[in-house]
Amino acid sequence: MASLLDGRSLAAAIEQRLTDAIRAGLDQAGRPPGLAVLRVGDDPASGVYVANKEKACGRVGIRSLGAHLPADTPAAEVQATIERLNADPAVDGILLQLPLPAGLDEGPLLRAIDPEKDADGLHTLNLGRLLKGEAGPRSCTPAGVMALLKAAQVELSGRRAVVVGRSILVGQPMALMLQAADATVSVAHSRTRDLADLTRQADVLVVAAGRPRMIGADHVRPGAVVVDVGIHRRPEGGLCGDVIFEQVEPLAAAISPVPGGVGPMTVAMLLVNTVVAWCRRHGIEHGLGDLVP
Ligand code: NDP
């Protein structure tokens, strides 16, 4: 039986550390940290995600300074809003909630975010910093996976890691972070031949393919650590991941559940990026370095 990589309880512990860090730095900064979640249009799932992020901000003492623009807002106006947030001294983190309405190109808008305020860690400069091992905000989901692995004391140095998925959002930065932790990393994608043969070699398997329940017992070596990034609404209700939990759990040494695994960690790392940016701007020692892979 696998031990659970419990993202919910780890995220709560990180929130407590952030609450303490904000309290300790408040006098020196003269203001709380601020996170602006910018939402354009009315994608219903985005509405839930934005509400969750704003609630999490409230719990730790980060001010939510977001804006919600109508779906037909011209790109120039979205860009002007981003520039206003870039210039706003009360804002430490900016997040452009994706997906954008059809007709808005996310590339130029993501690039318009001040890299020092890039709460999602997805700006080209910050991905480059990750590649080079330089400090900067890190992509939230893979940083959350690294925190889960660290909390469970999963040894990475010299171990074989396989990442299924090569998106800029998850797979690519995940592979870089595992490699920076001295794992030997392979990345699988939709053209990979004999996926199960590759994933069975993994000591640590991170699945971010966006395909419901595609990884079963045949894909996993007994004793492997399995992290399931996928999240899907099931037609019959409830959520599932990319991994068939009931097949893999009896085999694995540790596994992250869906929900309650990577999801809460992604939100926690968004808060970490915001608080670290706030500390940096005000010259505050934060002691959160272990959360920035
Ligand atoms: P993308 O669709 O952008 O990328 C999916 C990747 O998986 C691609 O690289 C694709 O390969 C690869 N892939 C697809 N099918 C297969 C297959 N059959 N075998 C091997 N590889 C395959 O998704 P994201 O990276 O954005 O997200 C992945 C999942 O993680 C989704 O379910 C998403 O909802 C979830 N997610 C969860 C988060 C959380 O907080 N829990 C946060 C972010 C995402 P190719 O490049 O060849 O197309």
Side-chain angles (χ1 to χ4, degrees):
M1 243 191 51
S3 64
L4 270 198
L5 301 171
D6 180 352
R8 222 170 256 150
S9 67
L10 182 56
I14 290 172
E15 284 189 6
Q16 186 57 54
R17 286 177 64 187
L18 295 175
T19 306
D20 295 344
I22 292 170
R23 267 201 209 118
L26 210 46
D27 276 350
Q28 191 172 332
R31 63 166 185 92
L35 174 65
V37 179
L38 179 55
R39 185 178 169 212
V40 189
D42 293 303
D43 178 69
S46 293
V48 175
Y49 293 145
V50 170
N52 281 343
K53 289 165 186 172
E54 291 183 342
K55 263 190 240 153
C57 283
R59 287 196 296 270
V60 302
I62 294 175
R63 270 180 82 196
S64 291
L65 300 160
H68 187 182
L69 304 175
D72 59 359
T73 308
E77 207 175 303
V78 181
Q79 171 126 5
T81 305
I82 292 172
E83 280 160 12
R84 179 177 59 72
L85 295 169
N86 283 345
D88 186 340
V91 173
D92 301 287
I94 302 169
L95 181 156
L96 181 62
Q97 184 67 43
L98 302 177
L100 295 174
L104 281 181
D105 182 2
E106 66 188 47
L109 295 173
L110 287 173
R111 275 195 297 279
I113 295 172
D114 177 347
E116 305 310 324
K117 293 189 176 186
D118 171 31
D120 248 347
L122 293 174
H123 190 283
T124 305
L125 177 72
N126 290 321
L127 291 169
R129 285 169 164 166
L130 170 63
L131 183 67
K132 294 187 78 176
E134 294 174 5
R138 295 296 193 236
S139 320
C140 297
T141 301
V145 172
M146 293 304 285
L148 266 181
L149 295 173
K150 189 176 269 186
Q153 298 180 318
V154 174
E155 177 68 46
L156 291 171
S157 180
R159 309 285 298 285
R160 186 80 199 263
V162 175
V163 179
V164 184
R166 58 175 167 182
S167 73
I168 291 294
L169 183 64
V170 188
Q172 303 269 14
M174 185 75 255
L176 289 170
M177 288 178 197
L178 288 164
Q179 193 174 294
D182 296 325
T184 302
V185 184
S186 302
V187 178
H189 46 77
S190 65
R191 310 289 170 87
T192 298
R193 293 199 187 133
D194 201 348
L195 181 69
D197 186 51
L198 180 68
T199 56
R200 271 196 308 269
Q201 295 172 38
D203 299 308
V204 177
L205 176 62
V206 181
V207 189
R211 298 271 177 271
R213 292 167 62 82
M214 69 171 278
I215 297 291
D218 291 352
H219 294 82
V220 177
R221 191 179 58 69
V225 172
V226 180
V227 181
D228 189 355
V229 178
I231 181 150
H232 312 276
R233 239 163 241 301
R234 302 179 79 158
E236 65 271 31
L239 299 174
C240 72
D242 288 358
V243 176
I244 306 171
F245 185 87
E246 67 276 14
Q247 279 189 19
V248 173
E249 190 272 341
L251 286 177
I255 185 168
S256 69
V258 178
V262 176
M265 293 304 298
T266 298
V267 178
M269 300 320 290
L270 177 71
L271 307 181
V272 168
N273 279 340
T274 304
V275 173
V276 168
W278 173 76
C279 289
R280 204 174 42 236
R281 287 178 73 193
H282 295 285
I284 299 166
E285 286 292 324
H286 53 67
L288 300 167
D290 60 303
L291 296 172
V292 185

